[in-house]
Amino acid sequence: MKIGMRIVSFCHYLQGPAATQYLADMGADVIKIEPLGGAFERKWSGGKSSVGGVSAFLLSANRNKRSLAIDLKHPGSRPVMDRLIGGADVILENFRPGVLDRLGYGYEAVRAKKPDIIYASATGLGANGPDANRPGQDLLMQARSGLVAATGSSQAGPTITGAAVVDQHGAALLAMGVLSAYVRKLQTGEGTRVEASLFQAGIDLQSEALTMYFARADKGSDPMPRGRNVGSWYHDAPYGSYRLADCHIVLSMNDPAALAEALDSDVLRALATVDRYAERERYAQAMATELARHTFADLQDRFDREGIWFERVQSYDELAEDRQARHIGAFTEIDVNGETARLVAHPLRYDGKAPKVRAMPFEPGCDSRAVLEELDFAASEIDRFVTDGIVGVPSGNNDNESKQD
């Protein structure tokens, strides 16, 4: 008997897999539909990174899921998928518009057979419109949404963020939409069409900045003015990044009098009353000069005493050893074929605890037999699906050995 939310995931790349990973962490039964040769994220990983022969890209967004490898173009796959979808609460997909329609699993086709389905789609630029069929990928949407321009400056030029922030934010929004629709289904028995796009996610990510930008009466000749130190166009200096003698730090919103006192600087005392937006470059340059003479160890206690909001700029290696990151369990480790993989843990806590890594689909189709057995297919039928090339299972191993302690 099915208990809880079951999701049939037609997802690849990052936004869809990350969304279903959030939901799988929270207890949803996510069945990852893959081609017989495995999904794209098994075959590519940035920096050619892998652990135990498994793509780090796969490891980043596919925990706590089960893999069903199936040839959706084979007519013999239809009975399997009809039975699987018939018992599902959610279909979640992030293919280009029209792909699943051509395979027979588009929204209208599924809804006609299962009116209470929650059908969640994530596209690049939206399900329709003049540019709906253009490629939608994180970097492209960073650029189109204005994020690259806003992260850069007139001096530095456009600046790309160092992570797939639009994909990850889009994944969180998509998971939120599915949960909202599931609550509605529990209350009313009705299904919902949930639609998300990377383009909208990139815009939503900048809600504060965009609202402030459009509210300005006079944008001037440089609508996003900031120099090399100041961190955004709409904050007063010294908000931004500065070099010390031994590292970089960032300063958030601070009382200029407290900063002058912490640094014992007559220069900053003299500038404490200036308009730090209108004269942001003047103030930021003075701050940069003062800070360059100090080490982090020299400033840390003094800044803490004065209540200064600051942080050291850490590398990923430093982040891995961060005492607070360790305390909150920001990372978790799993065994991958005898090697240890460090993963970003689920970001929320429930009654003080984080969801565990219960399983990882290391091989495509590692759960095919188990899923088909739950759908009441006989062992002989499953064997025929495998023999006919409709369903894939790992060679020489029909069980999911991805279970974690």
Side-chain angles (χ1 to χ4, degrees), residues 62-331:
N62 286 279
R63 64 172 172 254
N64 294 331
K65 304 176 188 178
R66 300 194 288 167
S67 169
L68 170 61
I70 187 167
D71 181 0
L72 294 176
K73 295 180 180 179
H74 195 298
S77 67
R78 176 66 62 176
V80 176
M81 294 306 301
D82 283 350
R83 199 174 294 186
L84 179 62
I85 292 171
D89 298 293
V90 181
I91 286 179
L92 197 152
E93 61 93 12
N94 69 328
F95 285 89
R96 285 196 191 184
V99 171
L100 284 187
D101 291 292
R102 292 192 291 273
L103 290 170
Y105 303 110
Y107 172 63
E108 294 299 339
V110 171
R111 184 172 176 271
K113 294 181 179 180
K114 188 172 174 59
D116 66 343
I117 194 70
I118 296 168
Y119 198 104
S121 297
T123 58
L125 288 114
N128 48 56
D131 293 330
N133 290 316
R134 287 185 59 80
Q137 184 268 338
D138 182 272
L139 178 59
L140 304 179
M141 295 306 101
Q142 282 193 39
R144 185 153 183 169
S145 70
L147 181 59
V148 171
T151 305
S153 68
S154 55
Q155 293 183 21
T159 303
I160 299 164
T161 63
V165 293
V166 177
D167 261 325
Q168 205 69 41
H169 182 59
L173 293 175
L174 185 56
M176 180 177 68
V178 169
L179 289 174
S180 176
Y182 189 60
V183 170
R184 180 190 183 205
K185 181 175 180 176
L186 293 176
Q187 293 173 333
T188 68
E190 298 177 359
T192 305
R193 179 79 162 104
V194 179
E195 295 178 278
S197 72
L198 281 180
F199 188 33
Q200 187 77 57
I203 294 170
D204 181 77
L205 190 62
Q206 304 169 83
S207 179
E208 176 193 39
L210 284 166
T211 303
M212 291 185 179
Y213 184 85
F214 294 134
R216 291 164 64 200
D218 180 13
K219 297 182 177 65
S221 58
D222 184 357
M224 293 184 181
R226 69 184 184 94
R228 60 189 299 267
N229 294 111
V230 181
S232 84
W233 62 266
Y234 59 91
H235 281 95
D236 294 350
Y239 188 97
S241 172
Y242 297 85
R243 179 188 291 276
L244 302 185
D246 59 346
C247 67
H248 283 81
I249 64 167
V250 294
L251 294 174
S252 184
M253 296 173 288
N254 286 290
D255 178 1
L259 281 167
E261 188 64 29
L263 290 166
D264 192 20
S265 167
D266 290 336
V267 172
L268 294 179
R269 289 187 182 101
L271 293 174
T273 59
V274 302
D275 183 334
R276 288 178 295 114
Y277 186 82
E279 298 194 58
R280 58 208 316 229
E281 288 309 309
R282 178 186 172 197
Y283 189 93
Q285 286 297 322
M287 178 61 68
T289 300
E290 293 295 309
L291 289 173
R293 293 194 284 264
H294 297 276
T295 65
F296 185 77
D298 175 36
L299 289 181
Q300 187 172 17
D301 289 342
R302 294 161 62 179
F303 275 3
D304 282 341
R305 283 196 304 270
E306 294 296 332
I308 303 301
W309 290 6
F310 74 104
E311 279 293 350
R312 181 175 181 144
V313 175
Q314 296 195 133
S315 67
Y316 280 1
D317 287 329
E318 290 168 327
L319 173 63
E321 302 302 322
D322 186 289
R323 65 185 185 183
Q324 189 65 18
R326 286 180 175 274
H327 177 78
I328 65 175
F331 299 98

